[in-house]
């Protein structure tokens, strides 16, 4: 099963209370592909400039990511600079966005991508998201992510794309902003009323909620002792979610609930280190271990010793 992803491939400069990185590998499509490629074949659509280190491209290829749709052009790679503060690790403060080649990006899908089973429209201009949707044949699942920037600058086009996808993934705050409401339930009703079957609202360290017709499901975030950099949590959540579904070939609501646990576990690993670094050595067995632990710590009859969490962290990180 294959997933086509379109989104930013970036060089990020990130400051957190614990340290900083400059021009590190980032971008929504990069984070998504790194996560989802643990489960299944990922086909990437994006653009990079001549300033983008070849080692990053090599890394994506070692993960088996198909990069025939990744255009390399003369010019600057998308650059994002952001900061997280102690009192709000769930939301990045954008310090600078340099679109570079992204400003004139025209996504073109290689023929081999058009029969993809799933499409992930990462957070980019909804005009580009629509162009990608028009080029795929009959995907079994279409998932969209977006952010406040597009809600504010092009809500009409974003609404058009939302009406054509199966799953909408947004931060809680963005879903509320889109729905022009203080109630997530009202926001979900509005978004589902446009056509999607599912709204997945991410709540950072407080978990993620799935809304569908007659269904509500909530998964907590995995409790962590060490958080270094929250960047990419949302995109790798999507990578775990969609990677799990595509590899199972099952897009039922029951499978989506299990997939939310995979997304939540994946995101918990991402934020343990800067950029995609923690994911370089991550295995599906590590993910599965945390997914199993969710079943214990959300079940009153289950038993996960407190040191079980600490042990899991020590077993799976280098620090
Ligand atoms: P998240 O998973 O939400 O933390 O997404 C993080 C990634 O989004 C970063 O690596 C950024 O490069 C990328 N990003 C930030 N702003 C934008 C934007 N306006 N368009 C596309 N990608 C962005």
């Amino acid at each position: 099963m294959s997933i086509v992803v379109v989104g930013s491939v970036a060089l990020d400069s990130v400051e957190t209370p614990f340290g900083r990185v400059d021009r590190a590998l980032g971008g929504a499509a990069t984070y998504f592909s790194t996560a989802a490629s643990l489960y299944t074949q990922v086909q990437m659509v994006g653009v990079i400039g001549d300033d983008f280190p070849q080692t990053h491209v090599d890394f994506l290829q070692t993960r088996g990511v198909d990069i025939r749709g990744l255009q390399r052009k003369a010019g600057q790679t998308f650059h994002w600079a952001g900061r997280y503060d102690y009192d709000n690790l769930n939301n990045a403060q954008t310090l600078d966005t340099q679109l570079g080649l992204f400003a004139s990006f025209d996504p073109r899908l290689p023929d081999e991508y058009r029969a993809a089973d799933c499409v992930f429209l990462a957070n980019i201009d909804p005009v580009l998201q629509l162009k990608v949707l028009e080029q795929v044949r009959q995907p079994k699942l279409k998932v969209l992510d977006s952010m406040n920037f597009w809600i504010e600058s092009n809500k009409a086009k974003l609404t058009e794309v939302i009406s054509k996808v199966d799953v909408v993934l947004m931060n809680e705050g963005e879903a509320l902003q889109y729905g022009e409401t203080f109630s997530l339930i009202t926001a979900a009703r509005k978004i589902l009323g446009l056509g999607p079957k599912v709204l997945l609202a991410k709540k950072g360290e407080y978990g993620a909620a799935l809304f569908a017709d007659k269904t509500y499901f909530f998964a907590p975030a995995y409790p962590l002792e060490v958080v270094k950099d929250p960047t990419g949590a949302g995109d790798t959540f999507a990578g775990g979610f969609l990677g799990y579904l595509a590899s199972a070939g099952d897009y039922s609501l029951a499978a989506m609930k299990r997939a939310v646990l995979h997304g939540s576990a994946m995101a918990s690993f991402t934020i343990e280190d800067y950029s995609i670094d923690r994911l370089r050595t991550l295995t599906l067995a590590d993910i599965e271990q945390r997914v199993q632990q969710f079943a214990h710590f959300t079940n009153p009859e289950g038993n996960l010793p407190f040191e079980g969490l600490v042990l899991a962290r020590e077993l799976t990180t280098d620090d």
Side-chain angles (χ1 to χ4, degrees):
M1 303 286 165
S2 59
I3 308 172
V4 163
V5 54
V6 61
S8 53
V9 178
L11 296 171
D12 288 345
S13 298
V14 179
E15 282 173 55
T16 79
F18 320 105
R20 57 173 300 148
V21 285
D22 198 32
R23 297 180 72 76
L25 176 57
T30 309
Y31 276 108
F32 177 88
S33 301
T34 304
S37 60
L38 282 175
Y39 295 83
T40 193
Q41 167 79 68
V42 179
Q43 301 176 311
M44 207 177 194
V45 183
V47 64
I48 50 176
D50 39 23
D51 56 349
F52 192 79
Q54 182 60 31
T55 48
H56 296 338
V57 179
D58 294 344
F59 164 72
L60 290 167
Q61 286 193 294
T62 61
R63 298 292 279 233
V65 175
D66 187 340
I67 55 160
R68 283 174 290 183
L70 182 64
Q71 307 166 17
R72 193 192 267 278
K73 296 197 161 171
Q76 297 250 308
T77 300
F78 179 85
H79 177 253
W80 176 75
R83 193 171 78 206
Y84 300 84
D85 295 318
Y86 263 122
D87 57 353
N88 200 352
L89 279 175
N90 290 323
N91 289 304
Q93 193 188 330
T94 294
L95 302 175
D96 189 30
T97 302
Q98 300 283 337
L99 289 179
L101 288 162
F102 228 64
S104 54
F105 178 46
D106 184 19
R108 294 255 169 246
L109 269 59
D111 273 347
E112 298 82 356
Y113 285 24
R114 292 175 203 261
D117 300 287
C118 302
V119 182
F120 181 58
L121 306 170
N123 156 41
I124 47 166
D125 188 334
V127 173
L128 301 182
Q129 293 180 320
L130 208 53
K131 277 194 176 179
V132 168
L133 268 194
E134 285 162 1
Q135 294 176 59
V136 282
R137 286 200 193 100
Q138 272 194 316
K140 297 186 180 77
L141 197 74
K142 293 168 274 183
V143 181
L144 166 145
D145 190 6
S146 196
M147 71 184 288
N148 49 3
F149 184 78
W150 306 114
I151 298 170
E152 285 152 25
S153 63
N154 202 348
K155 191 170 178 183
K157 196 50 105 180
L158 178 58
T159 301
E160 189 183 335
V161 194
I162 288 177
S163 72
K164 293 180 193 293
V165 299
D166 305 297
V167 178
V168 171
L169 238 160
M170 279 185 188
N171 288 338
E172 179 180 39
E174 288 154 1
L176 295 175
Q177 184 185 8
Y178 181 84
E180 296 173 7
T181 170
F182 291 105
S183 159
L184 194 51
I185 297 173
T186 307
R189 214 188 296 288
K190 286 189 178 175
I191 290 169
L192 298 182
L194 296 169
K197 293 185 207 75
V198 171
L199 167 69
L200 255 174
K202 298 167 286 177
K203 295 164 173 264
E205 66 178 304
Y206 305 110
L210 179 153
F211 295 87
D213 184 31
K214 301 190 180 69
T215 299
Y216 174 74
F217 177 71
F218 181 78
Y222 188 88
L224 286 178
E225 202 167 2
V226 173
V227 173
K228 283 194 187 157
D229 176 9
T231 313
D235 301 309
T236 53
F237 179 97
F241 175 78
L242 206 45
Y244 174 82
L245 291 175
S247 69
D250 180 352
Y251 306 102
S252 64
L253 262 182
M256 285 197 196
K257 292 182 198 172
R258 291 193 295 274
V260 167
L261 297 181
H262 279 252
S264 197
M266 183 72 78
S268 72
F269 283 109
T270 304
I271 67 182
E272 287 183 350
D273 210 339
Y274 294 94
S275 179
I276 47 95
D277 286 353
R278 180 63 190 90
L279 305 186
R280 289 179 191 271
T281 54
L282 190 68
T283 65
L284 278 185
D286 296 326
I287 300 278
E288 196 53 52
Q289 184 194 27
R290 287 196 180 173
V291 169
Q292 300 294 334
Q293 289 185 331
F294 278 111
H296 288 287
F297 67 65
T298 55
N299 174 3
E301 314 309 326
N303 180 30
L304 179 68
F306 172 59
E307 54 288 3
L309 297 170
V310 179
L311 183 66
R313 185 183 71 80
E314 285 173 352
L315 277 177
T316 54
T317 62
D318 301 328
D319 57 22

